Amino acid sequence: MNYLQETENYIISKAVTPEADTRGLLVYSQELKNGDCCLPCFKLSKAMRLSPVAIADKIKETMTDLPDFIDRVESVSGYLNFYFNREAMAKQVLDNVLSRGEKFAPYAQNGKTVCLDYSSINIAKPFHVGHLLTTVIGGSLYRIYKFLGYNAVGINHLGDWGTQFGKLLTAYFKWGDGEQTMDSLLDLYVRFHKEAEKDDSLNDEARMWFKKIEMGDELATSVFENFKRITLAEVGKVYDRLGIVFDSYNGESFYNDKLQDVVDELKAKNLLCESEGAMVVPLDEYGMPPCLILKSDGASLYATRDLACAKYRKQTYDFDKNLYVVAYQQNLHFKQVFKVLELMGYEWASDCVHVPFGMVSLEGVGALSTRNGNVVKLIDVIETAVEKTKAIIAEKNPDLENADETAEAIGVGAVVFGALSNGRIKDMVFSFDKALNFDGETGPYLQYTHARCCSVLSKAQPSGEADCKELIDDDTFTLIRQLNAFDDTVRSAAEKYEPSILTRYLIDLAQAFNKFYIGHRIISDDAAAMNARLTITKAVKNTLKNGMELILLKAPEKM
């Protein structure tokens, strides 16, 4: 139940007039002593020509028949404070959470489709730490939308086209030896650039090999397809460990035969014009530089492919939302592409959304560059986190069963949570020490809290209905309010394309539970109190587990 919305509905039914429109003013109170939610009356003062104190008093006078879930209303210094019926709310919230079972079922299908373009790794290049944010933000949103009843389509828009592959083939035929690996392909790519600085003819040779790929040359295509297989096999190992899945791996090359239709359509709609030999869509009247469609040599560009891609996705999936989880450096690119789609007459252009994020780096490591060989592979970051976790477990709990499996869950979870815990637009510097802190606002802290709940419940299980009179003190009721906010939080994370909203919620829930745990004896001789506290512990455990699943974290039962 959305208690804030229900309270607002009640206020509207009683107090809204042309002079006193209270809609959208109600907020949750920061401190329980000021009620569960409050209506600040200051914005109403000008329209009503009364002081905020007088307005609060006047509105309170209309509230003579309170709904069952509101215990009392108080007018204090220009605020109208609403206090919920704690016992009734505790019963409703616990009944709702526990009726869903240990694994919350997704919402009923809503008939809407959301396409999510994320990760988008490059063929024959390492899956480095710079791919972390797009991969886990997209992977989390994919799970969130599925949970909310959407048909979510995860798309890995592979970087599998461009002259860099001509460079790689040139290097392979000159210096390659036997079966290739991701490491050897990186070495070849780096060597090409070093050699090309001394011998510019290598660039001409690279263009020749890429032309052969474009023309479907058997040798060039077979070698390139082998590079593709090597890449997908290697990155698949990382995706498996992160819990990332895709429904489509259609990359740039997939749209080759769809580009001419885009160019023809732009010409037919008089949107395309020549500029210094190139073909562009002018966008100066919209405050943007022209969108380049074809180079002077007739070659297509990213914009050409993204226009074809958007049309294909609409035709194939009939999406309601088409999300691109791509770094903020591409802000202008997507503004241009979406504006061109709009000028082409596609109303669904407004359903295409760029979900930008900041840069990621590793503490103590400088700027990353595949060309110079300065990369930090994501698999190495994961392995390091897992190995450090094993050392922590060996010190803190050397007799732990399934220690390796637990270390994997904690180490991977630490990396993922570290990426999702801040607002996505912020740049991120990943620190192993911070990420693996069991006491901070981290993935291991959430997992430890879940394990603590499991430990309590391994000693005793709730039996029968809880006596909710035992759950009305401030610490416990704070926990009840947190549990009630789960569904609204998940919806908010989806609406704002922001998994960090959910990570923040889960930390708040874990902190509220640990405060409750420290302040209350759960296993005790008081049967009624013990049963009520076991009941809320179970509700917290289930909610933490389901929330962590939405942000790609596993929930160990022992740590």
Side-chain angles (χ1 to χ4, degrees):
M1 176 176 171
N2 188 327
Y3 283 84
L4 191 73
Q5 185 61 59
E6 291 301 319
T7 303
E8 183 174 82
N9 292 342
Y10 170 69
I11 297 171
I12 291 171
S13 71
K14 291 291 183 181
V16 169
T17 66
E19 297 78 23
D21 191 345
T22 61
R23 285 172 290 199
L25 300 181
L26 193 68
V27 294
Y28 280 114
S29 303
Q30 295 297 311
E31 299 182 36
L32 287 178
K33 67 180 182 180
N34 296 324
D36 293 290
C37 60
C38 63
L39 179 71
C41 296
F42 303 92
K43 290 185 178 180
L44 302 172
S45 187
K46 184 178 180 180
M48 296 184 69
R49 298 184 179 181
L50 292 171
S51 71
V53 172
I55 294 171
D57 289 341
K58 184 174 181 179
I59 295 177
K60 182 178 182 298
E61 291 174 1
T62 69
M63 299 183 172
T64 54
D65 53 340
L66 295 174
D68 292 342
F69 68 90
I70 297 178
D71 191 52
R72 68 185 192 279
V73 183
E74 294 180 356
S75 174
V76 181
S77 303
Y79 289 86
L80 206 59
N81 298 333
F82 294 83
Y83 295 79
F84 296 152
N85 183 322
R86 292 189 173 188
E87 186 178 342
M89 184 173 176
K91 175 174 171 43
Q92 185 271 325
V93 170
L94 292 178
D95 285 349
N96 176 54
V97 174
L98 295 175
S99 68
R100 303 171 85 165
E102 186 174 8
K103 181 171 176 58
F104 296 170
Y107 285 29
Q109 288 289 316
N110 59 24
K112 295 182 178 181
T113 294
V114 57
C115 291
L116 299 103
D117 178 332
Y118 55 102
S119 196
S120 301
I121 53 95
N122 295 311
I123 295 302
K125 289 186 181 180
F127 193 175
H128 59 73
V129 71
H131 291 109
L132 176 61
L133 287 175
T134 175
T135 301
V136 298
I137 291 170
S140 178
L141 288 174
Y142 179 83
R143 291 191 181 189
I144 287 169
Y145 278 107
K146 274 195 171 291
F147 179 77
L148 292 175
Y150 287 80
N151 171 34
V153 182
I155 301 169
N156 197 333
H157 187 74
L158 300 174
D160 62 355
W161 203 248
T163 55
Q164 68 266 32
F165 298 112
K167 296 175 182 179
L168 188 58
L169 260 66
T170 300
Y172 170 75
F173 287 118
K174 283 187 175 296
W175 309 299
D177 182 22
E179 184 64 28
Q180 299 299 304
T181 65
M182 285 298 294
D183 287 338
S184 67
L185 291 177
L186 174 60
D187 291 342
L188 287 172
Y189 190 72
V190 172
R191 182 172 179 180
F192 175 90
H193 285 280
K194 288 180 178 178
E195 297 290 341
E197 289 177 1
K198 299 177 288 185
D199 181 3
D200 188 59
S201 68
L202 288 172
N203 288 309
D204 294 329
E205 195 169 340
R207 283 187 283 272
M208 179 270 291
W209 275 113
F210 180 59
K211 187 67 175 178
K212 287 190 175 186
I213 296 175
E214 287 185 302
M215 300 303 293
D217 177 81
E218 185 176 348
L219 176 60
T221 302
S222 65
V223 173
F224 179 56
E225 287 298 323
N226 186 47
F227 292 168
K228 201 167 181 177
R229 284 191 292 272
I230 292 170
T231 305
L232 292 178
E234 190 70 21
V235 301
K237 298 173 185 176
V238 182
Y239 289 140
D240 286 345
R241 295 179 76 170
L242 293 174
I244 300 292
V245 296
F246 297 98
D247 303 292
S248 168
Y249 282 87
N250 287 338
E252 293 180 63
S253 64
F254 177 79
Y255 299 98
N256 280 342
D257 61 355
K258 301 168 180 60
L259 301 181
Q260 190 59 50
D261 286 345
V262 170
V263 174
D264 291 344
E265 183 177 354
L266 290 170
K267 287 180 179 177
K269 293 179 177 178
N270 296 317
L271 294 172
L272 208 58
C273 68
E274 186 177 340
S275 174
E276 299 180 5
M279 300 303 291
V280 304
V281 177
L283 296 175
D284 51 299
E285 64 179 292
Y286 306 103
M288 289 182 277
C291 184
L292 189 56
I293 302 299
L294 295 175
K295 292 181 182 179
S296 56
D297 63 0
S300 62
L301 292 105
Y302 286 125
T304 328
R305 297 180 185 283
D306 278 338
L307 290 168
C309 172
K311 289 183 61 180
Y312 174 83
R313 289 179 189 171
K314 184 62 179 179
Q315 292 163 0
T316 304
Y317 304 111
D318 192 23
F319 57 73
D320 294 271
K321 286 287 183 184
N322 182 27
L323 308 184
Y324 297 82
V325 185
V326 181
Y328 63 67
Q329 288 89 340
Q330 299 300 317
N331 282 353
L332 175 60
H333 167 77
F334 284 109
K335 284 180 181 178
Q336 290 176 309
V337 169
F338 300 161
K339 175 54 71 173
V340 172
L341 286 169
E342 179 187 326
L343 295 174
M344 292 171 78
Y346 295 119
E347 294 182 0
W348 49 264
S350 60
D351 299 324
C352 295
V353 180
H354 178 208
V355 180
F357 57 85
M359 299 300 292
V360 59
S361 59
L362 198 61
E363 194 173 57
V365 177
L368 305 178
S369 169
T370 305
R371 178 175 296 187
N372 296 323
N374 181 24
V375 297
V376 178
K377 291 188 285 188
L378 185 53
I379 192 67
D380 291 340
V381 175
I382 292 172
E383 288 287 2
T384 301
V386 172
E387 289 304 313
K388 286 179 176 289
T389 304
K390 286 181 181 178
I392 294 171
I393 290 175
E395 178 184 347
K396 292 179 176 289
N397 192 0
D399 298 324
L400 179 67
E401 297 178 6
N402 302 319
D404 287 349
E405 182 180 333
T406 303
E408 173 77 8
I410 296 170
V412 173
V415 174
V416 171
F417 189 89
L420 294 178
S421 57
N422 294 317
R424 57 178 162 75
I425 202 62
K426 294 181 180 178
D427 290 343
M428 170 198 172
V429 179
F430 181 83
S431 164
F432 286 109
D433 289 340
K434 292 178 182 178
L436 292 170
N437 187 343
F438 283 57
D439 298 318
E441 296 182 355
T442 63
Y445 176 73
L446 288 183
Q447 291 167 318
Y448 179 76
T449 304
H450 176 267
R452 170 174 272 178
C453 292
C454 292
S455 177
V456 171
L457 293 167
S458 71
K459 298 169 185 173
Q461 286 285 330
S463 59
E465 189 170 320
D467 182 353
C468 292
K469 292 187 180 69
E470 303 288 345
L471 303 174
I472 60 174
D473 64 276
D474 282 357
D475 286 348
T476 311
F477 190 64
T478 296
L479 199 48
I480 291 292
R481 294 208 317 173
Q482 279 296 117
L483 288 169
N484 185 60
F486 177 76
D487 289 304
D488 286 340
T489 302
V490 176
R491 280 192 288 266
S492 179
E495 289 167 1
K496 298 177 181 178
Y497 319 117
E498 187 63 89
S500 68
I501 292 173
L502 185 52
T503 64
R504 179 70 258 169
Y505 164 85
L506 292 170
I507 288 293
D508 290 343
L509 177 61
Q511 290 175 336
F513 175 78
N514 285 317
K515 187 175 182 180
F516 161 81
Y517 176 87
I518 292 169
H520 300 78
R521 184 181 294 276
I522 298 177
I523 306 295
S524 70
D525 294 332
D526 185 335
M530 183 174 79
N531 189 57
R533 291 167 186 167
L534 286 170
T535 300
I536 198 170
T537 299
K538 187 173 183 178
V540 170
K541 178 188 79 73
N542 290 356
T543 304
L544 280 174
K545 182 174 183 177
N546 283 276
M548 284 192 286
E549 182 174 316
L550 294 180
I551 58 168
L552 308 174
L553 267 64
K554 293 183 179 178
E557 296 190 0
K558 294 181 180 180
M559 286 177 61

